[in-house]
Amino acid sequence: MPTTKKRISKNKGNIFIISAPSGAGKTTLCRMILEQLDDIEFSISYTTRPPRPGEVDGRDYYFVSKDEFMQMVQEEEFIEWAEVHGNLYGTSKKRLLERVSKGIDVLLDIDTQGAAQIKEKGLEAVYIFILPPSLSVLRERLEGRASDSEDVINRRLKKAVEEIAAYKMYNYVIINDKLDEAFELLKAVVLSKRVAIESIDTDWIEETFLKG
Ligand code: ADP
Ligand code: 5GP
């Protein structure tokens, strides 16, 4: 059986921008989407932050020095970049546009500053904000991850409130209380975008059904 998706989708991928305060579960949810859906890739950002245990260069991030990062800024290689929690993070413009032009959906896990920069550039994207059920649950998750010091966790919690204040910029808001439920909602957003009228190859419909 041929797949319907390949036939009726335009030959252009969608951009999904996911933001959330650190610890809300973005990484977990993005991984689930990438594991369970086809034709979607993660946009691997560049960062000056050191790798956490288990993180792999070229899979989770491209880990670069500050000098290397600033060189890329100068050469305008980033579609957006920002300082988050004292480290620099950026998205490669070339790589992103290349994947989208090949018909592949791309998932960007970026902060609210980066999302705002992409919005300003007028790039078509779906903006999704993930919230934790409460600030106390957010703290528990950050502590549970056990990869950051108490000082870093406190800074991240303070920053969380500033980030949540930007929620109105997003098209969808998902509360990550029960992981499976949050995942189903995120999956629904991705799948519904794929069949939205603006994603559909209308030429194919005209050719197949309406000509002659
Ligand atoms: P982020 O990428 O937003 O910083 P993570 O995906 O690393 O967050 O999640 C932070 C921690 O919370 C991880 O230990 C993760 O396993 C856990 N977590 C994520 N979602 C849930 C959930 N719905 N319920 C309980 N724990 C969760
Ligand atoms: P972490 O260090 O926990 O992986 O990420 C910290 C924050 O940086 C998260 O909010 C994440 O979304 C954000 N981030 C990761 N990559 C990028 C990027 O390329 N650009 C921007 N603006 N933020 C990013």
Side-chain angles (χ1 to χ4, degrees), residues 140-153:
E140 280 167 24
R141 288 192 190 157
L142 286 170
E143 285 170 351
R145 197 161 61 180
S147 55
D148 295 317
S149 67
E150 185 64 22
D151 182 42
V152 169
I153 289 174

Side-chain angles (χ1 to χ4, degrees), residues 55-165:
E55 282 184 332
V56 176
D57 186 45
R59 185 193 70 187
D60 301 289
Y61 282 105
Y62 295 108
F63 296 99
V64 294
S65 68
K66 202 168 173 184
D67 284 349
E68 285 171 302
F69 192 98
M70 290 318 293
Q71 179 77 22
M72 292 180 76
V73 170
Q74 274 193 347
E75 287 166 9
E76 297 186 357
E77 287 191 37
F78 294 125
I79 195 156
E80 64 73 35
W81 69 276
E83 183 176 331
V84 190
H85 313 303
N87 297 302
L88 303 174
Y89 296 83
T91 305
S92 159
K93 180 165 51 187
K94 188 163 160 255
R95 193 181 303 268
L96 175 65
L97 300 181
E98 206 175 75
R99 301 316 281 160
V100 168
S101 72
K102 287 197 168 136
I104 296 161
D105 287 349
V106 184
L107 203 58
L108 271 71
D109 168 349
I110 61 174
D111 87 323
T112 53
Q113 304 171 75
Q117 288 173 40
I118 292 190
K119 206 162 219 196
E120 272 165 30
K121 293 202 164 98
L123 211 65
E124 210 219 314
V126 179
Y127 294 81
I128 306 159
F129 198 77
I130 312 285
L131 278 175
S134 67
L135 283 177
S136 54
V137 169
L138 186 63
R139 174 180 276 280
E140 280 167 24
R141 288 192 190 157
L142 286 170
E143 285 170 351
R145 197 161 61 180
S147 55
D148 295 317
S149 67
E150 185 64 22
D151 182 42
V152 169
I153 289 174
N154 284 334
R155 262 194 286 146
R156 284 182 183 232
L157 277 171
K158 198 161 163 264
K159 185 89 196 314
V161 178
E162 288 168 37
E163 284 175 324
I164 292 170

Side-chain angles (χ1 to χ4, degrees), residues 13-29:
N14 300 298
I15 297 175
F16 296 96
I17 296 186
I18 306 202
S19 303
S22 182
K26 244 181 332 174
T27 310
T28 308
L29 285 164

Side-chain angles (χ1 to χ4, degrees), residues 169-189:
M169 187 171 70
Y170 292 77
N171 304 118
Y172 299 94
V173 177
I174 296 173
I175 298 175
N176 179 21
D177 185 357
K178 296 209 166 59
L179 185 62
D180 288 351
E181 288 175 15
F183 170 68
E184 286 304 321
L185 290 171
L186 181 57
K187 191 166 88 175
V189 170

